[in-house]
Amino acid sequence: MGVGQSTEHLGHAGNPEHLSHVLAERFATKCFTPLELTHFKDNFFSRAIDQGGMKYWNEKILSDFLGVPDSSDSHCPLDAGPVIFRMVSYLGAFPFQNTLAPSVLTFEAMVKVAVLLTERYGKVLRRARKDRIKLLFGSLADVGRRDVGASPGAEDVRKETDDSSAVNSHVTGFEVDAPANDDYGDEDDDDDDLALAALESLDAIDVFKHDSRIDKNVYEARISVATFRRLLMLLIVIAPLKTLEPVASYTSDLNEARMESVRKEADTILAAFNIEDSDGGISYRSFANITSTALPYLFDPLTPLFEHLLFSKNLDMTKKSGSDAIVTDTLEKPSDSALFSPSTIMLPGSFESSILKPSVISHLSFFLPSPTSNVNLLWGNMRLHPVFSTAAHGSSLTSFSHNVLTWNAGTLLLLEGAISESSEHGEGMVTLGTYLPQPWKSAPLSHSSTKPSDSSGLPCLFELSPKHQLLPGNPSASVQKPNAPVAYFSTSTGIAIGCQIPPPSRSHQLKPTPLGAGSLTIDTSLESATFYVSSIGHNGVFLPPATTSLSEETVRKQIDIYTLEIWGLVPEPSDASSAEPRQSAVEVQRAKWEFEAREAERRRNLNLKAGAGDSAMEGARWLLETAGLIGDRPGQRGGSI
């Protein structure tokens, strides 16, 4: 049946309101299990406002149910409720945002919201994640405002009025499916594919195409900085949130020091969007580019947040209804002990981090994958074990090699320091890091290299502050050349990440040189580093960052190191009730360290006793130190090789 025949046959059924209703039914049946839908209905209708036969949620009901703080919560400095309500009101009108948004939050609208924000859209969106980015941009962008640089008040993001006007409103805002041509570029021709997969069976393609082209080139849509900062702060706070965990577990203890840390991370992420080049707001091009490449897991916390809709505390899964028991399927009520115990990613060890604050860990989870699965670091059953720290083990390559080269798993290197006076970029604090999913390997001449593999993911080089910047691993460099390893360690030249290693020379010592788009080198004293970033170069370990300004093709920062930390990646057991695999991996590593320490001490005593005179003792000790068998002990600062 053709589209024209269908529209003529359906009559009023071809209008957007009816098609949106039918689409919500398809969403519910295709994307939820019967049990999830039962819980969803109980959650919605037990809280809904009934006005003239229409049942809906307002902003307060939504915020209270999700546990998202708003201005009415005097105990929490976050005020993200209006932003979440604004997003939901836009997504509830899918796919007719131009005609129906902002949507009243009826049951049908909330079904579509839950599908889109819990990433169950594979059966209804043709291009899945790319389409979701476009929808999220539309839900946050300001409409018809060229001056969006000013910080809006609460009214700028609070779209709901009183209950009466909310139900009868027909405001046609949020017309941002397609900003001006300069932002969309070549995407204009295929924008209409956004929801065609969902509408093809409804014979409603023409209706959707007409809607999506309304005022397509009129508005220059931007996301205001204030609106996006509010959302970022919420995402940072709830990043560790697991399915069915209460949000209050993460928002109930936001003191001023914690909030200052959250604001700092939010500002470093905001800086990645080059707001100064976007008329004071965030354009679609910048939003899509950064969120898809430099922050691929940024919106992951929204998934467990909205999965709360799929579990109702009113329904007791242990009781029977008539003669039939209610099957719990994959939906289980969380235990009381799990409700108020936010998990930590860091395991206890020989030192406590001065860099990995909760906000920084959240920041890392927005772009770092788990080495064992294609999810973010916090979702991938991964923990961090302390391996090396200059604050605890001293600034010695001997201690570094003893702790790091013997760690038989992937590592996370973090560096915090100040840009030196000699650097062309002036003073200021900076935090850098590199993610190495493969272990460091000992080799002749104290050489160490890591090689990426498809099963463990690719390495990456990144800057956390003052501006978020990610240099992703180069897939074409999966087989590294001997002179261009991912990571290199030498007692003569120090540590090199993403560099080209010169051939050995008897006459003079050559240092590693930058290769490709980025590199990090650390001197033998572990006191200074050089961070090199280029907007060009695809022949190295790392690709150019998406956040590099076109005006700065090459940036080289000289850094005075305050703290250098190495954290080992430890898989968590798949069975949460048993920690044996994780404990086993850590215990094996500790036993290896202890054995090497005892062996080094034994050799030291043998060589020292066998020598005659001070010169023999010093010579034996020099040999052992050069081999990395003895050196600084944990807890002592300083030392040399």
Side-chain angles (χ1 to χ4, degrees):
M1 180 181 293
V3 173
Q5 293 174 317
S6 174
T7 305
E8 181 181 356
H9 175 71
L10 293 175
H12 73 281
N15 64 64
E17 289 84 356
H18 176 78
L19 292 172
S20 180
H21 174 80
V22 176
L23 185 61
E25 292 182 350
R26 299 287 177 91
F27 273 41
T29 56
K30 288 180 176 290
C31 302
F32 299 136
T33 67
L35 181 62
E36 288 173 336
L37 195 55
T38 299
H39 280 262
F40 196 164
K41 289 180 179 178
D42 183 76
N43 278 325
F44 180 85
F45 290 108
S46 63
R47 294 169 174 82
I49 297 172
D50 189 341
Q51 182 170 340
M54 175 181 285
K55 297 190 177 191
Y56 66 98
W57 280 15
N58 60 18
E59 179 184 328
K60 180 170 177 53
I61 294 174
L62 180 69
S63 297
D64 289 347
F65 176 79
L66 296 177
V68 176
D70 57 21
S71 57
S72 64
D73 189 350
S74 59
H75 301 287
C76 184
L78 285 176
D79 185 17
V83 179
I84 294 297
F85 182 76
R86 170 192 186 133
M87 296 175 66
V88 169
S89 299
Y90 177 90
L91 297 175
F94 175 82
F96 301 103
Q97 292 89 342
N98 291 333
T99 305
L100 302 180
S103 170
V104 178
L105 299 187
T106 61
F107 177 73
E108 289 79 8
M110 290 298 293
V111 165
K112 290 185 285 185
V113 167
V115 169
L116 295 172
L117 292 183
T118 61
E119 299 187 272
R120 296 164 183 257
Y121 44 71
K123 296 181 180 179
V124 292
L125 290 185
R126 175 170 291 169
R127 294 178 300 175
R129 200 171 188 89
K130 183 178 180 181
D131 287 340
R132 187 172 186 254
I133 290 176
K134 186 177 298 183
L135 289 169
L136 290 172
F137 175 82
S139 70
L140 291 166
D142 291 307
V143 179
R145 292 179 55 197
R146 294 177 180 270
D147 182 15
V148 296
S151 298
E155 289 75 10
D156 291 317
V157 294
R158 195 181 302 273
K159 293 301 180 184
E160 183 198 15
T161 56
D162 56 78
D163 294 342
S164 175
S165 61
V167 173
N168 297 303
S169 174
H170 293 284
V171 179
T172 58
F174 301 110
E175 291 131 335
V176 291
D177 272 335
N181 285 335
D182 60 330
D183 287 329
Y184 275 87
D186 296 334
E187 286 193 18
D188 284 346
D189 293 336
D190 64 354
D191 279 343
D192 298 332
D193 288 338
L194 176 63
L196 295 188
L199 293 170
E200 282 173 349
S201 61
L202 303 181
D203 292 324
I205 295 177
D206 280 355
V207 177
F208 170 70
K209 285 185 176 181
H210 173 72
D211 180 271
S212 66
R213 289 195 173 113
I214 294 176
D215 298 326
K216 190 171 185 178
N217 299 316
V218 174
Y219 297 101
E220 294 181 355
R222 296 289 188 273
I223 300 175
S224 73
V225 175
T227 297
F228 198 47
R229 180 183 285 111
R230 281 182 173 184
L231 179 61
L232 284 176
M233 291 173 66
L234 175 67
L235 296 175
I236 291 170
V237 169
I238 68 170
L241 185 69
K242 299 295 191 298
T243 300
L244 302 183
E245 273 189 324
V247 179
S249 301
Y250 301 93
T251 61
S252 58
D253 188 25
L254 294 177
N255 53 41
E256 185 55 37
R258 172 84 166 106
M259 284 303 300
E260 182 62 29
S261 177
V262 170
R263 292 188 192 98
K264 176 184 174 182
E265 295 306 315
D267 287 340
T268 63
I269 294 174
L270 275 171
F273 291 86
N274 295 322
I275 298 172
E276 64 277 4
D277 299 330
S278 302
D279 299 328
I282 301 172
S283 66
Y284 174 76
R285 174 181 293 174
S286 177
F287 182 85
N289 185 30
I290 301 303
T291 57
S292 61
T293 58
L295 294 162
Y297 307 116
L298 177 62
F299 298 106
D300 279 5
L302 294 178
T303 296
L305 178 65
F306 280 85
E307 280 180 344
H308 283 80
L309 290 166
L310 307 180
F311 176 81
S312 173
K313 296 180 180 178
N314 299 328
L315 300 181
D316 189 348
M317 295 293 96
T318 62
K319 294 182 178 180
K320 294 183 179 181
S321 176
S323 59
D324 298 327
I326 300 179
V327 181
T328 58
D329 196 19
T330 59
L331 197 65
E332 297 180 358
K333 183 177 180 180
S335 62
D336 293 337
S337 62
L339 289 180
F340 301 99
S341 58
S343 58
T344 176
I345 193 174
M346 292 187 291
L347 297 172
S350 59
F351 64 90
E352 293 185 0
S353 178
S354 60
I355 301 176
L356 283 178
K357 300 177 177 64
S359 299
V360 175
I361 294 174
S362 296
H363 188 167
L364 291 172
S365 73
F366 294 156
F367 65 93
L368 285 186
S370 169
T372 57
S373 55
N374 190 26
V375 294
N376 74 58
L377 195 66
L378 290 175
W379 287 8
N381 295 322
M382 191 61 55
R383 292 292 181 265
L384 300 178
H385 186 275
V387 172
F388 173 80
S389 169
T390 52
H393 301 100
S395 300
S396 165
L397 281 183
T398 300
S399 182
F400 179 91
S401 63
H402 166 67
N403 289 277
V404 178
L405 299 186
T406 57
W407 177 263
N408 193 29
T411 53
L412 178 65
L413 182 151
L414 296 171
L415 180 156
E416 189 175 64
I419 300 177
S420 63
E421 296 180 357
S422 60
S423 177
E424 60 183 9
H425 291 273
E427 299 179 356
M429 293 293 296
V430 63
T431 304
L432 308 173
T434 182
Y435 168 80
L436 302 171
Q438 293 291 321
W440 298 69
K441 298 291 185 183
S442 297
L445 302 178
S446 299
H447 174 275
S448 168
S449 65
T450 64
K451 297 180 181 181
S453 64
D454 295 337
S455 60
S456 300
L458 294 168
C460 67
L461 185 64
F462 56 86
E463 178 180 354
L464 293 180
S465 68
K467 174 183 177 179
H468 172 83
Q469 198 165 202
L470 175 66
L471 286 77
N474 188 354
S476 63
S478 58
V479 179
Q480 293 296 324
K481 299 178 181 179
N483 67 334
V486 176
Y488 175 87
F489 168 80
S490 169
T491 55
S492 300
T493 59
I495 302 169
I497 309 293
C499 291
Q500 184 170 350
I501 311 302
S505 173
R506 293 183 178 181
S507 58
H508 54 278
Q509 182 66 49
L510 299 176
K511 295 183 178 180
T513 56
L515 177 67
S519 67
L520 175 66
T521 57
I522 303 173
D523 68 358
T524 55
S525 66
L526 304 184
E527 294 179 351
S528 64
T530 302
F531 181 50
Y532 170 87
V533 180
S534 175
S535 60
I536 57 176
H538 291 74
N539 60 333
V541 176
F542 305 108
L543 296 174
T547 53
T548 300
S549 175
L550 295 178
S551 61
E552 294 181 331
E553 290 189 356
T554 301
V555 175
R556 190 187 302 267
K557 296 181 180 179
Q558 304 292 333
I559 302 166
D560 295 328
I561 299 175
Y562 292 170
T563 304
L564 174 67
E565 296 178 356
I566 306 291
W567 291 82
L569 305 177
V570 182
E572 189 177 60
S574 56
D575 181 4
S577 63
S578 172
E580 182 178 352
R582 183 178 69 193
Q583 291 177 350
S584 176
V586 174
E587 289 302 322
V588 167
Q589 186 65 53
R590 289 175 179 169
K592 187 175 182 180
W593 284 334
E594 292 172 359
F595 171 79
E596 291 193 355
R598 290 194 302 269
E599 188 68 11
E601 187 67 23
R602 183 183 67 82
R603 294 180 184 181
R604 175 180 178 274
N605 292 333
L606 288 175
N607 281 274
L608 293 181
K609 290 178 181 179
D614 292 340
S615 60
M617 293 174 63
E618 290 298 324
R621 184 173 184 84
W622 179 84
L623 288 173
L624 292 173
E625 285 184 340
T626 303
L629 296 176
I630 64 173
D632 299 320
R633 293 291 182 263
Q636 295 180 340
R637 291 190 60 85
S640 62
I641 57 172

